Amino acid sequence: MERYLQPTTFFDYEQPELKAWIANQLTGVSDDPVEQAKALYLAVRDSVSYNPYVFRTDAKTFSASYALTSGETYCIPKAVLLGAAARSAGIPSRLGLADVRNHLSSPKLIEWLQSDIFRMHGFIELYLNGQWVKATPAFNKQLCEMMKVEPLEFDGVHDSVFQEYTASGQAHMEYVNDHGLFDDVPHDFIVAGVRAAYGHLFPDNEEERFEGSLEEDLK
């Protein structure tokens, strides 16, 4: 279990700015790990905007501190940010990766990916009350409101993965392939998977330059 508490290059909760942010989020929160996990979940979900267009292969962009300072990122770094914050509070965490089919996305994003399968979707598992519980802080509240989907809640007891349906009954998200659980970010594995799935986004000998905003797509 000790390895799920350690700081790493990616779960870098000892970085001063991140350390201060974590302390600020837990100000006034009880010492109960479940209550701390819930507070950290909401902070990560809503203070960092979800934007898949900002994906980069650079390893530093997968770290918790980068997710915090950038202010917008995608599911994996947001999950790592929550996991790092949890570790800082003494709550073991591990990263989960899966492929998902997203039924509720912008046509522009689907066209960009040339697929409705999102490869290497990330979530975090937290060890609370003697069991591992899944938490997915990817979609911020503002984006959920634009998508007409209730923001995903986390009670620290039950798995919080993704809403299967929107408020109107449309299918939202389904998990189609499980890549496993990791005590640190498997950077090379993730990048290889993304390149294999979306080779058209990575021209040979050119640095990827992705631009856009999912929130802008939905306006």
Side-chain angles (χ1 to χ4, degrees):
M1 193 64 71
E2 186 63 26
R3 72 182 189 273
Y4 299 121
L5 288 166
Q6 294 299 312
T8 71
T9 300
F10 300 103
F11 289 79
D12 55 349
Y13 60 77
E14 293 184 331
Q15 290 290 326
E17 187 171 353
L18 179 52
K19 195 172 183 178
W21 180 83
I22 295 168
N24 187 52
Q25 304 312 311
L26 295 179
T27 299
V29 179
S30 77
D31 292 335
D32 177 24
V34 169
E35 293 304 314
Q36 293 191 338
K38 288 163 60 177
L40 292 171
Y41 171 85
L42 289 176
V44 173
R45 188 191 74 181
D46 294 334
S47 64
V48 179
S49 297
Y50 174 78
N51 186 6
Y53 290 107
V54 301
F55 176 85
R56 299 289 185 273
T57 58
D58 187 348
K60 73 178 182 182
T61 65
F62 288 73
S63 72
S65 61
Y66 187 90
L68 178 65
T69 56
S70 67
E72 65 170 5
T73 189
Y74 54 101
C75 53
I76 295 174
K78 289 192 71 170
V80 173
L81 175 55
L82 176 56
R87 290 185 184 188
S88 177
I91 302 169
S93 69
R94 60 190 185 187
L95 178 67
L97 296 171
D99 298 338
V100 298
R101 175 172 284 109
N102 190 352
H103 296 281
L104 189 66
S105 184
S106 73
K108 181 179 177 181
L109 180 57
I110 298 299
E111 181 181 0
W112 180 65
L113 294 176
Q114 297 181 12
S115 173
D116 67 347
I117 299 293
F118 284 62
R119 191 74 179 269
M120 297 294 173
H121 165 70
F123 59 91
I124 205 75
E125 287 196 351
L126 305 177
Y127 194 73
L128 297 164
N129 291 330
Q131 65 178 352
W132 288 102
V133 185
K134 293 179 174 63
T136 310
F139 282 8
N140 51 296
K141 185 176 181 180
Q142 180 177 342
L143 183 61
C144 287
E145 290 172 350
M146 296 176 71
M147 288 182 159
K148 296 181 172 55
V149 175
E150 286 295 319
L152 191 63
E153 302 295 338
F154 176 65
D155 63 7
V157 178
H158 303 95
D159 286 342
S160 178
V161 184
F162 255 127
Q163 306 94 325
E164 293 184 9
Y165 300 95
T166 69
S168 61
Q170 286 182 290
H172 177 217
M173 186 83 68
E174 62 178 307
Y175 285 66
V176 297
N177 190 27
D178 181 14
H179 294 295
L181 298 161
F182 306 85
D183 60 2
D184 203 0
V185 176
H187 171 260
D188 292 343
F189 175 66
I190 293 170
V191 171
V194 172
R195 283 184 179 273
Y198 316 114
H200 61 285
L201 298 179
F202 301 89
D204 292 341
N205 301 318
E206 290 186 26
E207 180 183 355
E208 72 275 10
R209 298 183 182 278
F210 307 153
E211 295 181 357
S213 165
L214 185 53
E215 289 190 8
E216 288 298 321
D217 288 357
L218 296 170
K219 288 181 178 178

